[in-house]
Amino acid sequence: DAGVTQSPTHLIKTRGQQVTLRCSPISGHKSVSWYQQVLGQGPQFIFQYYEKEERGRGNFPDRFSARQFPNYSSELNVNALLLGDSALYLCASSLPRQGGTEAFFGQGTRLTVV
Amino acid sequence: AQTVTQSQPEMSVQEAETVTLSCTYDTSESNYYLFWYKQPPSRQMILVIRQEAYKQQNATENRFSVNFQKAAKSFSLKISDSQLGDTAMYFCAFMKHAGQRDNDMRFGAGTRLTVKP
């Protein structure tokens, strides 16, 4: 079975532009979360979606938005890019179940803003 | 709000020896999960081990084990018989009980572990 897939793997954008990152969860997983990992730091939570509804939002500006589609894939959009948005963006999918849950991560999208 | 602290930015260990990575967390929740994730240079976050807070028994996975001290809010990872492939960033993470809103993962800043031959 395929794991969590993210596209693109690398991306270079100019300040002020907009970017869309994509994530396909593991088949059967209905929860998708997005994280931002700045170089040298731990991942920071951006959004969680479950069954197409937003279940949580981290401390990020309104320039960040996301959505989940009927097939449970997800997109993360960032508008008006700043140099500080340069980071590894990680997507994780999970299947919440009684007794615990485990998040499976994709390999991330490396975004560089110049 | 939940916070996770990893006080060791870098550690090293000789191949075949044992190393312990520290993690403390702060929460008012009574039911939650704790995780250790490994992130090699390939960037893929890989789950190493998971602990459910309501279970008193420490989790073990082959060469990996944890020392979970709920009252002290401490969750350390012990790696036995260290191998070169264990070289990676290790992140401790906290998550509220599944099914609750805002059960996102909170990560520590990470510990860079180097296994020396």
Side-chain angles (χ1 to χ4, degrees):
Chain A
D1 286 341
V4 178
T5 57
Q6 292 186 242
S7 63
T9 55
H10 296 85
L11 201 54
I12 300 175
K13 289 286 189 178
T14 303
R15 272 185 305 173
Q17 285 188 316
Q18 175 265 342
V19 68
T20 298
L21 310 181
R22 296 176 175 82
C23 172
S24 293
I26 292 172
S27 178
H29 285 195
K30 299 180 179 180
S31 176
V32 170
S33 297
W34 287 95
Y35 293 84
Q36 180 195 65
Q37 186 178 17
V38 173
L39 191 63
Q41 298 182 17
Q44 298 292 315
F45 170 71
I46 311 175
F47 284 109
Q48 183 195 18
Y49 277 79
Y50 179 70
E51 288 275 18
K52 303 183 290 293
E53 290 187 5
E54 183 182 303
R55 293 290 298 271
R57 182 186 182 115
N59 188 23
F60 280 81
D62 291 343
R63 299 184 297 107
F64 289 76
S65 63
R67 55 179 175 170
Q68 187 176 33
F69 298 98
N71 66 353
Y72 304 112
S73 66
S74 178
E75 286 183 351
L76 175 70
N77 296 283
V78 187
N79 294 322
L81 285 167
L82 303 174
L83 296 179
D85 295 331
S86 295
L88 179 67
Y89 289 84
L90 295 167
C91 173
S93 76
S94 61
L95 182 63
R97 55 183 171 83
Q98 186 176 7
T101 185
E102 175 183 341
F104 295 84
F105 285 83
Q107 287 198 298
T109 295
R110 171 75 66 191
L111 172 64
T112 302
V113 183
V114 297
Chain B
Q2 292 78 30
T3 59
V4 178
T5 302
Q6 293 179 250
S7 58
Q8 306 152 314
E10 293 189 30
M11 294 192 71
S12 64
V13 63
Q14 292 294 132
E15 195 175 7
E17 295 190 345
T18 296
V19 64
T20 299
L21 309 183
S22 301
C23 173
T24 58
Y25 60 94
D26 187 25
T27 184
S28 58
E29 302 287 332
S30 59
N31 198 9
Y32 50 86
Y33 304 101
L34 295 163
F35 307 85
W36 278 98
Y37 277 88
K38 166 185 176 181
Q39 188 178 41
S42 67
R43 309 182 328 204
Q44 182 93 45
M45 295 280 277
I46 302 165
L47 179 67
V48 174
I49 200 164
R50 180 183 73 187
Q51 176 78 42
E52 295 163 39
Y54 67 88
K55 290 187 177 179
Q56 293 186 339
Q57 185 172 7
N58 289 324
T60 61
E61 286 287 343
N62 301 314
R63 299 183 294 108
F64 300 89
S65 61
V66 298
N67 183 5
F68 173 48
Q69 302 289 328
K70 190 173 184 180
K73 297 180 181 175
S74 170
F75 183 60
S76 60
L77 174 70
K78 185 171 82 171
I79 306 174
S80 304
D81 186 25
S82 297
Q83 301 176 359
L84 297 178
D86 295 333
T87 293
M89 283 291 290
Y90 285 80
F91 291 98
C92 177
F94 169 100
M95 188 174 72
K96 292 193 291 187
H97 190 271
Q100 295 181 10
R101 192 178 178 84
D102 297 330
N103 68 327
D104 55 285
M105 267 193 211
R106 302 296 169 109
F107 288 84
T111 296
R112 182 175 302 280
L113 176 67
T114 302
V115 180
K116 299 179 179 180

